[in-house]
Amino acid sequence: MVLKQGDKPTYSRGLEGVIADESKICFIDGQKGELYYRGYSIESLKNCTFAEVTYLLLFAELPTQSQLDIFTHRLREKRFLPRFVIDIIQALPRSAHPMEVLQTCVAALGTDHNGENKIEEKVLTLIAQCPLIVASFYRAKNNQEIVEPSKEFNEGGHFLYLLGLNPSEEESRILETCFILHMEHGFNASTFAARAIGSTLAPYHSAMAGAVGSLFGPLH
């Protein structure tokens, strides 16, 4: 809006009623119980893997089998945490909330300036690392050895494996389905927070750490 001389600016407290942008990635209707990713209903994706849906959200199309094989391999190759992040996890108070730990570690990962520079690689690496952070803290919190990541298992099964469990195929699939259902929920508070931080040209991990902080809030 362009103000003319003498006009008084208006504002919306708390940005109530302000639409900052719209999402082409996700549509959700909570009243009707509808969720769409890139135009696909969530029901139509029920047989897809975590990697397939991740590819869809990032690249706006479902992968071919060869594309999926390459993409799955890329994600699994990024299942690692730098030693300094593991040290941070082990040093944090056992009373810490997992979301506090996740935000701390995401920010810490951004201090490694010898890592990937391409944004796509940073995104894929963080997708692979977040479950490792949460599972590693669970083990440390319970005074257990942190489990070394594996390149086997789907994402659901791998998370259960990191917790020290021996998941069945059904258990792995159930958790993978939960991950898929929570992968994208439109232009919510955490997305807005990430975009606001990113708009200052702040580093990627700074924006993601801010998004995690917003996601932690009970009113998210």
Side-chain angles (χ1 to χ4, degrees):
M1 181 180 69
V2 179
L3 294 177
K4 297 179 181 179
Q5 188 174 6
D7 287 348
K8 291 185 178 180
T10 61
Y11 68 95
S12 297
R13 187 178 298 276
L15 300 181
E16 183 177 1
V18 175
I19 300 175
D21 204 343
E22 57 183 1
S23 173
K24 296 180 180 179
I25 299 174
C26 174
F27 171 78
I28 183 168
D29 188 325
Q31 295 296 322
K32 296 181 179 178
E34 295 179 349
L35 176 61
Y36 289 83
Y37 291 166
R38 297 288 191 181
Y40 290 87
S41 71
I42 198 66
E43 290 83 5
S44 69
L45 301 173
K46 64 182 179 182
N47 293 320
C48 290
T49 64
F50 179 93
E52 282 180 283
V53 181
T54 300
Y55 189 99
L56 171 65
L57 293 177
L58 292 177
F59 304 113
E61 61 182 8
L62 285 170
T64 64
Q65 187 58 55
S66 61
Q67 289 172 328
L68 177 60
D69 292 342
I70 293 170
F71 188 72
T72 299
H73 177 75
R74 289 175 69 192
L75 278 177
R76 294 187 182 188
E77 284 293 311
K78 296 179 181 299
R79 289 176 175 175
F80 69 90
L81 287 176
R83 181 68 243 179
F84 75 90
V85 174
I86 294 174
D87 291 342
I88 290 172
I89 290 171
Q90 292 176 325
L92 289 170
R94 298 297 185 255
S95 60
H97 191 283
M99 290 295 285
E100 295 170 327
V101 175
L102 182 60
Q103 184 178 27
T104 298
C105 291
V106 168
L109 285 165
T111 65
D112 182 6
H113 300 298
N114 295 317
E116 294 283 355
N117 291 320
K118 293 182 178 179
I119 187 63
E120 182 178 317
E121 295 302 321
K122 288 182 179 182
V123 170
L124 296 185
T125 300
L126 192 57
I127 289 172
Q129 288 175 328
C130 282
L132 274 62
I133 294 169
V134 177
S136 295
F137 179 66
Y138 172 85
R139 297 282 296 180
K141 183 183 181 75
N142 289 282
N143 298 313
Q144 298 171 324
E145 290 287 331
I146 291 176
V147 177
E148 284 290 323
S150 169
K151 294 177 183 177
E152 304 297 324
F153 306 105
N154 63 16
E155 271 64 24
H158 188 239
F159 186 74
L160 294 172
Y161 167 80
L162 292 171
L163 295 178
L165 304 174
N166 183 25
S168 67
E169 184 175 338
E170 182 182 18
E171 290 167 335
S172 299
R173 183 57 195 167
I174 289 172
L175 187 55
E176 178 129 332
T177 300
C178 290
F179 287 167
I180 290 171
L181 286 169
H182 289 83
M183 286 171 74
E184 171 61 40
H185 273 193
F187 208 139
N188 51 25
S190 55
T191 301
F192 181 85
R195 289 185 60 160
I197 295 170
S199 71
T200 70
L201 301 184
Y204 171 74
H205 285 82
S206 296
M208 292 301 100
V212 173
S214 176
L215 183 62
F216 186 17
L219 296 184
H220 181 275

